[in-house]
Amino acid sequence: MPKVLISDKLSPRAAAIFEEHGIDVDVKPGLSPDELKAIIADYDGLAIRSATKVTADILNAATNLKVVGRAGIGVDNVDIAAATKRGVIVMNTPNGNAVTTAEHAITLMLSLARQIPDANKSTKAGKWEKSRFMGTEITGKTLGLIGCGNIGTIVAERAQGLKMRVIGYDPYLSPENATRLGIEKLELDELLARADFITLHTPLTDATRNIISADALNKTKKGVRIVNCARGGLVDELAMAAALKSGHVAGAAFDVFEVEPATDNVLFGFDNVIATPHLGASTTEAQEKVALQVAEQMADYLMKGAVTNALNMASVSAEEAPILKPYMVLGGLLGSFLGQVEADGITAVVTEFDGKAAALNPESVVATTLAGLLGPAMESVNMVNAAAVASSNGIAVSTVRHDRQCDYETLLRVTISHKTGDRTIAGTLVGGNKPRIVEVQHIAVESDFPPYLLYLRNYDKPGFIGDLGSLCGKHGINIATFHLGRREAGGEAIALVEIDGGLPKTMLPEIRALDQVVRADALHFALDI
C-alpha cells in the first residue's frame, strides 16, 4: 500500500481522499527540516503547501519518494532539478486558486483607484478628509496584463465587465486566443506606454525577473498604477520606490515581495502603496479546492499511473494511463535491449510509432524508452529524468508517427545512432498487452523478453545451432526457446536464445569464439518498468 505524508496544513478532506483511494496517510504539519529528513524515506508521496521546503538534502534522503504534490501554483519551495534527478514527479494545482488570485488583483486595483485603505484609516482616526482622497474611475481606462494565462484571463474577463479596455503581453498567447478573449495583444514596450493600470500574472523565471525594471518604468505613462499578485521579484522594488517618489507612478499594490515574509520593505514608507501578506490564494474556497485537487492528483498517480499538472514530466490522464502502460513497458524493454548491446557513444535516438501506436500521446512512452536505453550505463536514470539525462549527454531525441499501412496492428521501432553506426529494434504487443520483439537490425525475428536472453549475430551456416547447443550442455545451461532470423540463405543471421538462469561469466567468451558468431551479448530483462 502506498504511503503519503502531509507535512503542511491542508483540509482534512485531503487525508480522507488518500484513504478512500487505498493509500496510507500521515498528517504531520510543522516538521523541522531534520525531522522531515529523518522520516521521509518511509513515504511514496509528500503533500505540501508553502511551508515545507523540499530541498536536495531532503530529496536525497527520500529513497522511496515518487511524487511531491504542491497544493497551490508556486513551487519556489521545491528543488525541481533535484527532484527530477531523483526521479520524483513534482505536481502543482495551477487552476485551484486562479479565481481567488484574480479577484484579489481586481480588489487591489479598485482600492488603488479610490485610495480606500488610506481613506479608511483616516476616517477611523476621526478625520473627515473628503477633499484629500480624490480617486479615479476605472471605466474606460486601459488595463495592461503582463501574462495572460489562467489568472490573467480571469482578470481580463472581470476588467471587461468593469468596462475597461484590456491589452496584454504574453509570448505564449496566440492571436486567435487573444481575439477570443477580447485582449489586444501587444509587445511589452507598447503595453507599458499605453496602460493606465498594469497587473502582473506571470511566473518568476530568468526571463521575467525584474520585468518591471527602472527602464520599463520609464516607458510607462505618468500616473500609471501597478498591481503585483503573482511573484516577488517580477518588480524591481528599488526602481519602483524611486518612481513612486518622483510621482511618475501614481500608486502600487503588492501582495508578493522579493523577500518573504516581508517584515520590512523599501515600499512600506509610501502612502500610495497598498501591501498585503501574500493573500492571493487565501480564501476558504481556494484552500479547500487546492487541497482536494492535489490529493486527487497524487492518488491517481500512485494508484493508476496518471500524471496531472506535473512540472517535470508529460501529463498522462487517468483514461490514457491503462492504454499507455503496455506501450511504456514495451518501449522500456526495447530501450533496455539496445542499451545492453550498445551503451557507449550514443548520439541520437529515434522512436517510431506505427499502426495503432501512432495515435498515442508519445511522451511517456519515449521517456520509458530512454530510461531503458540509458539505464545500463548510467545510474539512477528513470522515466522522470531520462529526457534531461539524454539532453545533458548531447543525445538528440526525436519521435516519428507513421500514417501508413503497417504489417502489425501496432508497432514501436527504436533506432539509436552511435559512434560506429546505427542499431535498431522493433516490437509489438501480443494479446493487447504482452511485449514481443519482431525485428532486430531490420531482420525479422520474434521473441518475448524473457529474464535471460542471448543475443547472437552469426553467419547462416550449418553447425551453428549444434555448436551452441553443445556449449550450453557443457556448462549446464538449458535452452528454453530458440528464435532465428536471417537476411538471406548463407548470409547474416540473428538468434535470440532464451536460457534458464544467468550465463556464467566464463561462457560468453567461449560463445564469441565459435566460428559462425559475429557477436554475442547476454541480456537481462525485468518487467517492472
Side-chain angles (χ1 to χ4, degrees):
M1 176 186 294
K3 193 173 182 180
V4 167
L5 172 64
I6 298 177
S7 63
D8 288 335
K9 291 182 180 179
L10 297 183
S11 164
R13 273 291 299 149
I17 286 172
F18 284 122
E19 291 169 349
E20 289 164 8
H21 283 78
I23 296 172
D24 192 11
V25 59
D26 290 333
V27 181
K28 298 181 179 181
L31 294 170
S32 70
D34 286 342
E35 290 171 331
L36 177 60
K37 183 178 177 180
I39 65 172
I40 192 61
D42 295 335
Y43 297 95
D44 300 281
L46 176 63
I48 63 171
R49 289 213 63 226
S50 57
T52 297
K53 310 302 180 187
V54 187
T55 62
D57 195 35
I58 296 295
L59 288 160
N60 286 336
T63 51
N64 292 309
L65 195 65
K66 299 173 181 64
V67 59
V68 173
R70 163 69 161 101
I73 188 170
V75 286
D76 301 351
N77 55 323
V78 181
D79 189 332
I80 296 177
T84 301
K85 185 177 180 180
R86 294 286 306 178
V88 177
I89 293 176
V90 180
M91 299 176 172
N92 67 349
T93 55
N95 302 318
N97 54 20
V99 169
T100 293
T101 304
E103 288 182 353
H104 196 60
I106 292 290
T107 300
L108 290 179
M109 182 176 67
L110 291 168
S111 297
L112 268 182
R114 301 306 294 268
Q115 304 177 67
I116 289 174
D118 273 357
N120 172 67
K121 181 180 178 181
S122 169
T123 304
K124 285 184 174 180
K127 303 175 183 177
W128 194 258
E129 299 177 296
K130 187 173 181 179
S131 60
R132 175 186 166 191
F133 299 109
M134 185 61 65
T136 184
E137 291 184 359
I138 63 168
T139 299
K141 296 297 194 301
T142 298
L143 171 63
L145 301 174
I146 298 179
C148 302
N150 292 326
I151 297 171
T153 56
I154 295 171
V155 170
E157 292 171 358
R158 303 298 192 268
Q160 288 158 357
L162 294 169
K163 307 302 181 185
M164 299 185 80
R165 292 187 293 270
V166 180
I167 58 179
Y169 165 72
D170 189 327
Y172 303 103
L173 177 66
S174 69
E176 295 77 16
N177 274 341
T179 300
R180 179 177 60 82
L181 295 167
I183 299 171
E184 183 183 356
K185 183 179 179 181
L186 302 174
E187 292 302 314
L188 181 59
D189 284 356
E190 190 175 358
L191 180 146
L192 295 172
R194 286 178 50 186
D196 300 299
F197 292 82
I198 294 172
T199 62
L200 293 101
H201 307 287
T202 180
L204 180 64
T205 66
D206 290 340
T208 61
R209 186 176 299 278
N210 287 339
I211 193 168
I212 299 298
S213 60
D215 182 57
L217 288 168
N218 286 336
K219 295 173 182 177
T220 61
K221 63 165 60 176
K222 182 176 175 59
V224 69
R225 292 170 172 85
I226 297 174
V227 176
N228 184 13
C229 290
R231 278 285 173 264
L234 295 176
V235 178
D236 183 331
E237 293 171 356
L238 288 173
M240 176 61 70
L244 287 163
K245 186 175 182 180
S246 71
H248 183 78
V249 173
F254 280 67
D255 185 49
V256 290
F257 299 87
E258 190 168 354
V259 176
E260 295 184 4
T263 55
D264 184 30
N265 189 279
V266 67
L267 299 175
F268 288 174
F270 292 90
D271 290 340
N272 53 347
V273 170
I274 301 172
T276 55
H278 208 143
L279 299 179
S282 296
T283 63
T284 303
E285 295 86 350
Q287 294 307 302
E288 183 79 1
K289 195 181 300 182
V290 296
L292 305 192
Q293 186 178 343
V294 80
E296 289 284 1
Q297 289 177 188
M298 292 175 68
D300 278 348
Y301 174 66
L302 291 171
M303 302 304 290
K304 303 176 185 177
V307 181
T308 307
N309 293 324
L311 300 170
N312 57 349
M313 184 180 166
S315 291
V316 177
S317 71
E319 292 75 23
E320 287 179 307
I323 299 170
L324 286 171
K325 181 65 175 179
Y327 288 95
M328 293 166 68
V329 172
L330 175 60
L333 291 168
L334 294 173
S336 178
F337 186 109
L338 293 178
Q340 292 180 74
V341 172
E342 197 72 56
D344 295 328
I346 299 173
T347 58
V349 182
V350 179
T351 307
E352 298 177 70
F353 293 74
D354 225 328
K356 284 186 176 180
L360 298 174
N361 176 355
E363 293 182 79
S364 57
V365 179
V366 172
T368 55
T369 301
L370 290 173
L373 174 66
L374 301 175
M378 303 177 187
E379 293 184 2
S380 303
V381 180
N382 50 66
M383 65 179 294
V384 177
N385 64 19
V389 172
S391 177
S392 66
N393 283 273
I395 300 173
V397 178
S398 58
T399 303
V400 178
R401 298 192 202 193
H402 292 292
D403 182 13
R404 65 186 182 188
Q405 190 71 28
C406 181
D407 291 339
Y408 292 85
E409 184 177 43
T410 192
L411 187 81
L412 291 184
R413 176 177 282 104
V414 183
T415 302
I416 62 170
S417 299
H418 53 92
K419 54 189 176 184
T420 58
D422 293 343
R423 194 172 298 282
T424 185
I425 186 171
T428 190
L429 296 174
V430 179
N433 60 7
K434 185 178 180 181
R436 188 167 180 83
I437 299 168
V438 296
E439 181 188 293
V440 179
Q441 289 298 91
H442 302 293
I443 295 175
V445 58
E446 294 203 15
S447 170
D448 295 331
F449 290 90
Y452 298 98
L453 184 71
L454 286 176
Y455 165 55
L456 305 167
R457 287 176 58 193
N458 59 283
Y459 297 112
D460 182 34
K461 294 180 179 180
F464 165 65
I465 294 176
D467 289 348
L468 180 64
S470 297
L471 189 56
C472 287
K474 171 187 168 183
H475 286 273
I477 298 298
N478 187 55
I479 294 176
T481 62
F482 205 118
H483 304 276
L484 295 168
R486 65 184 185 182
R487 295 190 193 279
E488 57 190 22
E492 184 180 357
I494 282 177
L496 299 177
V497 185
E498 178 185 358
I499 58 175
D500 294 334
L503 199 71
K505 290 184 179 179
T506 57
M507 186 176 170
L508 194 58
E510 292 184 58
I511 295 175
R512 289 170 175 164
L514 294 175
D515 288 342
Q516 304 94 328
V517 171
V518 177
R519 71 170 298 154
D521 296 276
L523 311 181
H524 175 64
F525 298 103
L527 289 175
D528 57 343
I529 301 297

